[in-house]
């Protein structure tokens, strides 16, 4: 091997060390999140492993090893002078504050399903039958809610809904809203709290998620103007001023069929809000850190979910606006545009 070739190999192996470290540290994030270690660090300030272990009911030797690994990753800070560990302001927002728009611990819970369900996905690669959403490990359902909720908290009421033509005024007066593919109901509850004069119905085919959504609505005190029902995107009942699809259209086997049903379920002046993962229309433009995460999730979750259903279009999480436009307009919608975007999502508005 030439010197230039060896240098390239060394650089690539260095990247592998970084990637392996990220994967290994991710398991530690999941562990610390579930044991309450990050939240305890936030509350306790600079702590020794003994203090953290005592405060969380955990074993000191294992806590010391966990803290050391998180510190090596830069996820926890270490004060050598006092032999104490702590979270800086940025780390608190990412790992310990579930209301923060930067909270990311839920993402690690989502990604754990990629490993847990690898065998199911491997079999789907061979059979082509896909893996339905409900066939995944339960961590996917809870993790998805925790991953998307901070973004909804930061953007839905103050940015996304105001970007839609006339929608906020309708919601303030009192509108009928369907949140299709609502999962645990984070988006539904958030809208119901912000617009008490409107009535919100969350639909999802996954009954355990609907049960959790009903509890979430009760806990948030919005049961009076919110209900949740088990129904699919092509068959949910009712007529609405606003229909919302949050990060779910690309998961559907027949998104064009769903688009046609949305069209029939909207009032003549109604709006369909479609929130989808941010993506460019061409692969080369998506070869970046955000695309890396979304393609991985799409390989293990989104595309197999679509292939497990009728039609099995398999849009994937990086479908891009052009492909989504074709799906939406095939359902009878005449007006379609990108209303707004964030680094992780694009908000599309469709009207009859």
């Amino acid at each position: 091997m030439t010197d230039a070739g060896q240098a390239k190999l060394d650089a690539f192996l260095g990247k592998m060390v970084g990637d392996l470290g990220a994967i290994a540290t991710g398991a530690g994030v999941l562990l610390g999140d579930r044991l309450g270690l990050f939240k305890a660090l936030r509350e306790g300030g600079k702590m020794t492993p003994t203090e953290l272990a005592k405060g969380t009911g955990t074993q000191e030797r294992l806590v010391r090893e966990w803290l050391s690994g998180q510190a090596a990753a830069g996820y926890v800070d270490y004060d050598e002078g006092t032999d104490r560990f702590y979270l800086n302001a940025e780390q608190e927002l990412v790992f310990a504050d579930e209301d923060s728009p930067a909270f990311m611990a839920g993402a690690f819970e989502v990604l754990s399903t990629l490993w847990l369900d690898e065998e199911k996905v491997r079999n789907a690669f061979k059979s082509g039958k896909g893996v339905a959403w409900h066939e995944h490990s339960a961590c996917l359902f809870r993790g998805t809610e925790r991953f998307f909720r901070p973004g909804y908290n930061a953007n839905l009421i103050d940015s996304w809904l105001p970007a839609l033509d006339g929608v906020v005024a309708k919601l303030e007066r009192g509108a009928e809203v369907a949140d299709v593919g609502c999962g645990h109901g984070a988006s539904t509850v958030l809208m119901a709290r912000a617009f008490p004069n409107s009535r919100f119905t969350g639909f999802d085919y996954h009954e355990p998620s609907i049960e959790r959504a009903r509890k979430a609505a009760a806990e948030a005190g919005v049961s009076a103007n919110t209900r949740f029902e088990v129904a699919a995107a092509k068959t949910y009942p009712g007529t609405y001023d606003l229909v919302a699809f949050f990060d779910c259209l690309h998961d559907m086997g027949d998104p064009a069929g769903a688009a046609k049903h949305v069209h029939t379920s909207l009032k003549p002046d109604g709006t369909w809000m479609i929130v989808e993962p941010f993506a460019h229309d061409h692969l080369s433009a998506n070869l970046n850190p955000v695309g890396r995460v979304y393609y991985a999730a799409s390989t293990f979750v989104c595309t197999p979910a679509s292939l497990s259903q009728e039609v099995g279009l398999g849009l994937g999480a990086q479908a891009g606006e052009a492909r989504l436009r074709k799906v939406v307009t095939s359902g009878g919608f005449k007006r379609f545009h990108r209303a707004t975007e964030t680094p992780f999502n694009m908000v599309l508005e469709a009207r009859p």
Side-chain angles (χ1 to χ4, degrees):
M1 181 178 291
T2 65
D3 290 344
Q6 184 64 51
K8 289 181 179 180
L9 176 60
D10 290 344
F12 190 62
L13 288 173
K15 171 179 165 53
M16 288 299 99
V17 171
D19 288 351
L20 288 171
I23 294 168
T25 305
V29 170
L30 186 64
L31 180 68
D33 178 53
R34 290 179 172 175
L35 288 173
L37 300 178
F38 287 115
K39 288 184 172 64
L41 275 174
R42 180 192 184 193
E43 295 169 0
K46 292 186 177 182
M47 304 177 74
T48 65
T50 300
E51 291 167 341
L52 182 57
K54 183 177 180 180
T56 55
T58 52
Q59 206 273 348
E60 186 275 339
R61 181 64 187 89
L62 293 175
V63 168
R64 176 176 288 277
E65 209 71 2
W66 177 83
L67 283 166
S68 299
Q70 296 297 299
Y75 291 0
V76 167
D77 280 357
Y78 174 61
D79 184 344
E80 184 177 2
T82 61
D83 193 30
R84 280 175 161 80
F85 299 83
Y86 64 98
L87 297 178
N88 63 41
E90 295 75 28
Q91 293 161 349
E92 284 188 6
L93 291 173
V94 171
F95 296 120
D97 183 358
E98 299 224 15
D99 293 325
S100 160
F103 182 70
M104 294 291 286
F108 290 88
E109 192 164 19
V110 171
L111 294 179
S112 66
T113 195
L114 276 58
W115 293 91
L116 290 172
D117 298 333
E118 181 274 334
E119 183 178 4
K120 294 178 183 178
V121 176
R122 182 172 9 116
N123 291 335
F125 266 67
K126 296 177 180 179
S127 69
K129 294 180 180 180
V131 180
W133 176 267
H134 65 269
E135 294 177 320
H136 281 280
S137 300
C139 58
L140 175 63
F141 316 134
R142 181 171 180 269
T144 296
E145 176 198 355
R146 298 179 74 216
F147 174 58
F148 284 118
R149 185 175 358 105
Y152 298 159
N153 288 343
N155 299 295
L156 177 53
I157 305 303
D158 294 333
S159 175
W160 294 350
L161 288 171
L164 307 177
D165 185 21
V167 166
V168 169
K170 288 183 181 180
L171 292 171
E172 290 174 340
R173 289 193 302 268
E176 295 289 342
V177 181
D179 188 356
V180 180
C182 66
H184 287 189
S187 52
T188 325
V189 168
L190 187 60
M191 291 188 290
R193 184 187 291 127
F195 301 102
N197 292 333
S198 292
R199 293 157 299 281
F200 298 85
T201 305
F203 296 107
D204 201 290
Y205 94 95
H206 188 234
E207 188 168 359
S209 289
I210 289 295
E211 292 173 356
R212 176 67 190 97
R214 288 170 177 159
K215 293 179 182 177
E219 292 166 359
V222 296
S223 296
N225 68 330
T226 309
R227 65 188 180 93
F228 293 94
E229 303 294 340
V230 176
K234 291 168 61 175
T235 59
Y236 65 86
T239 304
Y240 302 94
D241 298 287
L242 172 67
V243 174
F245 278 43
F246 290 94
D247 294 291
C248 63
L249 182 65
H250 65 274
D251 293 317
M252 297 177 185
D254 184 13
K260 291 177 183 177
H261 184 66
V262 174
H263 191 273
T264 63
S265 74
L266 277 176
K267 296 178 181 179
D269 63 342
T271 301
W272 184 15
M273 177 171 67
I274 308 152
V275 179
E276 279 287 295
F278 184 89
H280 299 282
D281 291 327
H282 300 287
L283 171 62
S284 58
N286 294 325
L287 302 182
N288 52 56
V290 173
R292 180 186 188 185
V293 173
Y294 278 140
Y295 278 122
S298 192
T299 300
F300 282 82
V301 180
C302 309
T303 306
S306 178
L307 296 181
S308 74
Q309 304 167 53
E310 60 179 347
V311 180
L313 185 62
L315 276 175
Q318 294 287 270
E321 185 176 338
R323 292 184 68 198
L324 293 168
R325 177 186 294 272
K326 289 181 180 179
V327 167
V328 171
T329 55
S330 72
F333 288 88
K334 304 300 182 185
R335 291 172 286 177
F336 175 93
H337 77 286
R338 186 184 303 197
T340 188
E341 65 185 51
T342 73
F344 292 101
N345 287 105
M346 51 186 173
V347 180
L348 310 170
E349 179 178 7
R351 304 189 71 175

